[in-house]
Amino acid sequence: MSFPKLIPAFTAQLVVEAPANVGTTARGGTILFVPFVPNSGSLKSEASYPIQLDAEFVHGADYVRMDPNGENVRLEIHSVGKDKATGALFRFSYTGSVSLAGAAGKVFRGEPDMATTGFGDAFTHHVFETGDERLGPLQNKVFVGSGRFIIEPGKPLVVEYKISEVTAS
């Protein structure tokens, strides 16, 4: 029996607006609503990946839930992307966990010394849905990612993910 391997597939850059506090819900925990800047960001295939995609996000949002112990947040993202070449639409969603112990925690807390983070605090599981025949095979694959935050003065926050397909070795 062997462990699966990862095939580099996509780089996603999500441009997000300031969060809004939804409050503490019946399911427990506080939820933050973090909308994407409409018609922005990108999802681009790696040059070696067999399914080529160069898309922007038409619409999307992150629903962030704080763990009760305050050490991690849970991500739930729903978005729609549009392939620039064909106009094909696809649903791009993912869940994940972000550790607040390091640099990513400074971003979530809005600390004045926050800066662009490295990869390693945020890990995700990505799902595609589409009616487009060319992109359809993405629906039957498993994707995982690692994320970071890009901070540039005077610009909206960018969340970047390196996403890989999980496959047999």
Side-chain angles (χ1 to χ4, degrees), residues 3-27:
F3 287 96
K5 69 177 181 177
L6 299 179
I7 299 171
F10 302 101
T11 297
Q13 288 196 331
L14 315 170
V15 183
V16 298
E17 297 179 4
N21 190 338
V22 174
T24 302
T25 68
R27 290 178 49 195

Side-chain angles (χ1 to χ4, degrees), residues 14-22 31-38 59-65 73-79 94 107-108 149 156-159:
L14 315 170
V15 183
V16 298
E17 297 179 4
N21 190 338
V22 174
I31 294 178
L32 294 178
F33 167 69
V34 185
F36 291 10
V37 173
H59 169 79
D62 188 351
Y63 302 88
V64 180
R65 186 181 304 269
V73 293
R74 305 296 163 170
L75 308 175
E76 181 182 342
I77 288 79
H78 301 281
S79 65
Y94 60 95
V107 175
F108 273 94
F149 299 97
L157 175 69
V158 174
V159 185

